[in-house]
Amino acid sequence: MEEKEKRSPLEKRKAKKKLRNERPQRIFRAAEIPLTILWLQLVFQLSTVGHISGKFVLFGLLFGISYGLLLEFLVSLIPNATAYRIVKAVVIGVLGILITAVYFVFCKFNTFYDLKTMFGGAGGAVGEFQDSIMKLIFCANGIIHIILYLIPLILNIVAAVFLTKKFANVIWRERINSIATAIVVYILALILVRVMPSAWNTYKVEYNYTHAIEKFGIFTGLRLDVKHSIMGGNKDLSFDITPTTPVVENDDTQSTEDGTEVVEYGDNVLDIDFAKLAESTNDEALAQLDNYVASLQPSNKNAYTGLFEGKNLIFISAEAFSAQAIDEELTPTLYRMATKGFQFTDYYQPESAGTTGGEYNNIFGMLPTSGGTSFKEAADNLNYMTMGWQLNLLGYWGKAYHNNTYTFYDRNITHNSLGYSEGYMGWGNGMEKYYDRKTWPESDLVMIQGTVEEYIDQDHFNVYYMSVSGHSDYTFSDNYMAYIHEDDVADLDCSEPIKAYKACNIELNDAMEYLIKRLEEEGKADDTVIVIGADHFPYGLDDGGDSVNMPYLSELYGESIDNDLVRDQNRLIIWSGCLEKEDPVEISTPMSSIDILPTLMNLFGIEYDSRLLVGRDVFSDTPALVFNVSYDWKTEYGTYIASTGTFTPASDDVVYPNGYTEEEYIDYIKTIVRNKMKYCAGVLDNDYYAHVFGDGTE
């Protein structure tokens, strides 16, 4: 404690000498937490991102120092020296353990999961995949990283025991210096962020958890995640709508090749006055959403509108599916389905929150702006804009299925909210009657063999499957699906993980072969549509890698993984027996999983308002746009990668629409993407469809 009584000159000189002698100890003590944060950030960055950028050096240093000094100030308020040492050790240990947990979740999924995805929902990613994560921990790479992340704690304990038997007391001048320096450094960091457009976009305008980690460090990424995801973050729904924003005019006429016949199709739009709806509500967020929707151009109906009207639908979210799972020899049925009828040659499955995020994309036609808890949050909303709900209104028999534990990712809650008349079945509430035993992963073939008999005799059925046979780990010893098909891939010229991955997907192929055979036997193949879309890229191929070092995924793709769009390239299958009688139709424009829903609604002739969905019917005249939660995007004119701020034109002589220069076009699409991301968040957070459609019974 500071001496408060009046001291003699001799006592003052002794006190100053004592302070000088204790200076190394005081410097060490004040620097412990800041150095801990800087060390953890550095190790984490090299272990995950794989490189150190200039922005990370600058902002990681400034933000890291400010956080460390703030924590040091708070800990220094503890008056008892022993308690001070213990609390500081706890703080340093907690920081190390937190980053260790974040690191191992990254190792499992090869993407940065926000805290809600890691720990939320039904145990989150950590709880659901604890066995796989434990394997990553108890290996040489895992143990080395645990030691690296706990080095600050080890040094703290060593210093407390051997180097600083008696800690110098903290004086108020040091406390004030710590908090003052923390504030100054933090403000300096914010100023620099504000004056750098690319940094400001990541920090505020186009906030993204992954990019925040890459540019500012893991602790700033976590801080912003808490602000945006857990505490509400930026709920701004002020869309950038201006009367000068050019749009591509909607031409609702189409002609035959000789130009002699003109057909007017009209728009996919409902008789809803969104401007009037905005005036009728006192909720500002809902009014902003209404005004945004009112400003949009609807997509047109077209020659494919109603092509599948009255047909049955079987939608499969296929676990870790990829275009490379389709092989004429190994998976002939998948090859048949992908090459007959529609061929989607530039398709993407944006990764955002693992399997539950991919399902969210496929089912809702939206990006999961609340990470891994988005689907569970949506379960409390009116999920009117889903195929389950819409076909149920048309009298279809409907049910959702999953061949893993029925409560996994809270599917017993989420999948009972999608409008299927018969609800949802997984292992534990009915699926087990079709299995002699539970394996890992479970068989898609066995699931199809059992469940198809539940609906094949229905006049109209609408079925959803979340498959699991393609799940990692991709080894023949730990993956039963890979094990039973090992002989089928023995002669492939590739690594064992790739062989195991391809072996897993043979089970999905066999399931589709059986399903189509049963449909053909019942005379329903021509009247049934099967859709297969992935939930995410096969991240399990590269357990323990970093975001730029995915050798097995690169081997599978036959190219290096330079960015998220390359990583997320995939293949969509929309098959029906009736399509096999026609010439294949190639859809070569960029599309993604959020385009599936509006495309299906148009194909099934469902009356819907295209302005309410962020994706597009790919057969309409709406310009193609693929985007993800990282604010990367791709159009027919080029590709933009937000993390680097680089745009690559589709060709050397590209001519941009509306007379735009390249820079104007980039700004235009960036604005559209920001608006669409805000809309995704607004729909989820505000139960928007309940506002538009009431109880959804009509």
Side-chain angles (χ1 to χ4, degrees), residues 193 197-213 215-216 224 228 234 236 240 627-633 640-646 666-678:
V193 168
S198 63
W200 180 247
N201 281 344
T202 299
Y203 192 87
K204 186 74 172 178
V205 182
E206 297 176 352
Y207 165 73
N208 173 260
Y209 179 59
T210 295
H211 292 172
I213 291 173
K215 291 182 179 179
F216 309 128
L224 293 175
H228 284 262
N234 183 10
D236 177 28
D240 186 9
F627 65 100
N628 58 28
V629 295
S630 298
Y631 293 88
D632 304 325
W633 49 263
Y640 177 79
I641 304 302
S643 60
T644 58
T646 56
I666 293 171
D667 288 341
Y668 171 53
I669 300 299
K670 287 173 69 174
T671 299
I672 291 176
V673 170
R674 284 197 296 267
N675 282 343
K676 287 180 179 291
M677 286 296 296
K678 286 183 180 180

Side-chain angles (χ1 to χ4, degrees), residues 287-537:
Q288 288 175 319
L289 291 166
D290 289 331
N291 287 324
Y292 169 68
V293 173
S295 74
L296 299 176
Q297 184 84 14
S299 66
N300 67 312
K301 296 180 180 180
N302 46 73
Y304 294 94
T305 301
L307 177 67
F308 294 153
E309 187 172 358
K311 294 187 184 299
N312 307 306
L313 175 62
I314 300 173
F315 193 119
I316 301 166
S317 289
E319 173 62 44
F321 186 69
S322 72
Q324 289 70 29
I326 303 170
D327 185 278
E328 188 172 6
E329 299 298 326
L330 285 178
T331 55
T333 302
L334 291 176
Y335 181 83
R336 168 190 174 184
M337 298 173 74
T339 56
K340 302 286 187 180
F342 298 137
Q343 299 180 10
F344 303 95
T345 57
D346 196 17
Y347 176 78
Y348 300 84
Q349 173 63 54
E351 158 63 25
S352 50
T355 294
T356 186
E359 283 193 277
Y360 190 89
N361 293 349
N362 295 343
I363 293 171
F364 295 103
M366 297 279 178
L367 293 182
T369 50
S370 287
T373 62
S374 298
F375 210 146
K376 189 174 181 181
E377 291 175 20
D380 294 327
N381 294 347
L382 174 70
N383 295 319
Y384 187 80
M385 299 294 285
T386 62
M387 292 302 292
W389 201 284
Q390 290 298 314
L391 292 182
N392 184 61
L393 290 175
L394 296 176
Y396 278 59
W397 185 99
K399 195 168 185 177
Y401 298 99
H402 179 47
N403 44 340
N404 196 12
T405 306
Y406 81 107
T407 57
F408 210 87
Y409 282 138
D410 290 311
R411 287 191 180 95
N412 56 312
I413 299 172
T414 59
H415 287 48
N416 276 311
S417 70
L418 301 176
Y420 293 104
S421 62
E422 306 303 311
Y424 159 75
M425 176 196 291
W427 178 277
N429 74 330
M431 188 65 69
E432 63 274 12
K433 65 186 176 183
Y434 301 124
Y435 289 77
D436 293 332
R437 66 188 180 94
K438 197 174 190 295
T439 63
W440 178 253
E442 292 83 7
S443 168
D444 293 340
L445 173 59
V446 174
M447 173 173 65
I448 294 294
Q449 287 174 329
T451 59
V452 68
E453 303 306 324
E454 293 189 9
Y455 56 80
I456 199 164
D457 292 330
Q458 299 293 328
D459 291 336
H460 292 91
F461 54 81
N462 175 28
V463 174
Y464 174 79
Y465 287 107
M466 178 64 233
S467 81
V468 78
S469 286
H471 208 292
S472 58
D473 294 341
Y474 300 118
T475 67
F476 294 110
S477 58
D478 296 328
N479 188 305
Y480 187 70
M481 293 300 108
Y483 167 74
I484 63 176
H485 293 291
E486 183 174 6
D487 291 344
D488 297 321
V489 299
D491 295 333
L492 294 181
D493 183 19
C494 56
S495 63
E496 180 172 315
I498 303 301
K499 287 183 179 181
Y501 172 74
K502 288 180 177 289
C504 290
N505 282 283
I506 292 175
E507 190 73 2
L508 175 63
N509 175 84
D510 292 350
M512 293 303 97
E513 180 182 4
Y514 182 86
L515 177 59
I516 291 175
K517 179 182 177 181
R518 285 293 293 118
L519 291 170
E520 290 174 338
E521 289 173 348
E522 297 296 326
K524 294 192 174 184
D526 287 358
D527 292 322
T528 301
V529 178
I530 301 176
V531 179
I532 301 177
D535 56 349
H536 52 68
F537 74 99

Side-chain angles (χ1 to χ4, degrees), residues 237-239 241 272-297 609 611-612 675 678-679 682-683 686-694:
L237 287 178
S238 55
F239 297 92
I241 306 169
I272 302 174
D273 188 338
F274 287 99
K276 185 175 180 180
L277 201 59
E279 295 175 357
S280 68
T281 180
N282 294 322
D283 189 311
E284 182 179 355
L286 293 175
Q288 288 175 319
L289 291 166
D290 289 331
N291 287 324
Y292 169 68
V293 173
S295 74
L296 299 176
Q297 184 84 14
D609 198 310
R611 296 171 295 176
L612 289 168
N675 282 343
K678 286 183 180 180
Y679 181 71
V683 169
N686 297 281
D687 194 7
Y688 182 58
Y689 296 143
H691 165 67
V692 176
F693 297 107

Side-chain angles (χ1 to χ4, degrees), residues 15-16 22 68 89 132 190 256 272 308 470 493 513 519 569 659 664:
K16 288 181 179 180
E22 293 175 345
S132 296
L190 288 181
T256 60
I272 302 174
F308 294 153
D493 183 19
E513 180 182 4
L519 291 170
Q569 59 188 315
E664 289 171 337

Side-chain angles (χ1 to χ4, degrees), residues 54-190:
K55 287 186 177 65
F56 169 78
V57 172
L58 175 63
F59 295 117
L61 179 67
L62 293 177
F63 280 125
I65 289 174
S66 67
Y67 302 152
L69 290 174
L70 173 61
L71 285 174
E72 173 58 39
F73 168 76
L74 295 174
V75 174
S76 73
L77 296 177
I78 298 173
N80 182 274
T82 300
Y84 166 81
R85 292 198 300 271
I86 293 173
V87 170
K88 174 173 279 192
V90 169
V91 169
I92 291 173
V94 168
L95 292 175
I97 292 171
L98 173 63
I99 302 307
T100 301
V102 175
Y103 169 72
F104 281 113
V105 171
F106 173 87
C107 287
K108 174 60 188 172
F109 299 100
N110 269 289
T111 190
F112 295 109
Y113 276 5
D114 58 87
L115 293 176
K116 290 174 73 174
T117 303
M118 283 178 59
F119 301 109
V126 173
E128 298 292 6
F129 293 95
Q130 55 184 326
D131 291 341
S132 296
I133 293 174
M134 291 301 288
K135 292 178 183 177
L136 294 172
I137 292 174
F138 292 106
C139 66
N141 179 71
I143 293 172
I144 289 172
H145 277 85
I146 290 174
I147 293 172
L148 288 172
Y149 289 128
L150 295 183
I151 278 178
L153 177 61
I154 295 170
L155 293 178
N156 172 272
I157 294 173
V158 170
V161 175
F162 297 105
L163 301 181
T164 52
K165 296 284 187 181
K166 182 179 164 94
F167 272 60
N169 290 326
V170 182
I171 62 176
W172 270 105
R173 184 174 65 189
E174 292 175 346
R175 295 189 180 104
I176 293 172
N177 287 341
S178 291
I179 191 63
T181 305
I183 293 172
V184 170
V185 172
Y186 182 76
I187 292 174
L188 175 61
L190 288 181

Side-chain angles (χ1 to χ4, degrees), residues 525-588:
D526 287 358
D527 292 322
T528 301
V529 178
I530 301 176
V531 179
I532 301 177
D535 56 349
H536 52 68
F537 74 99
Y539 57 68
L541 283 169
D542 290 293
D543 282 355
D546 59 52
S547 59
V548 296
N549 180 28
M550 291 187 273
Y552 293 121
L553 191 65
S554 298
E555 179 186 350
L556 180 69
Y557 286 2
E559 62 178 316
S560 60
I561 312 302
D562 298 321
N563 55 66
D564 289 354
L565 286 177
V566 173
R567 180 197 67 188
D568 293 338
Q569 59 188 315
N570 215 293
R571 190 70 181 264
L572 172 68
I573 293 175
I574 297 182
W575 177 91
S576 176
C578 68
L579 295 177
E580 295 197 341
K581 300 174 174 61
E582 308 294 336
D583 292 334
V585 177
E586 180 179 346
I587 297 89
S588 59

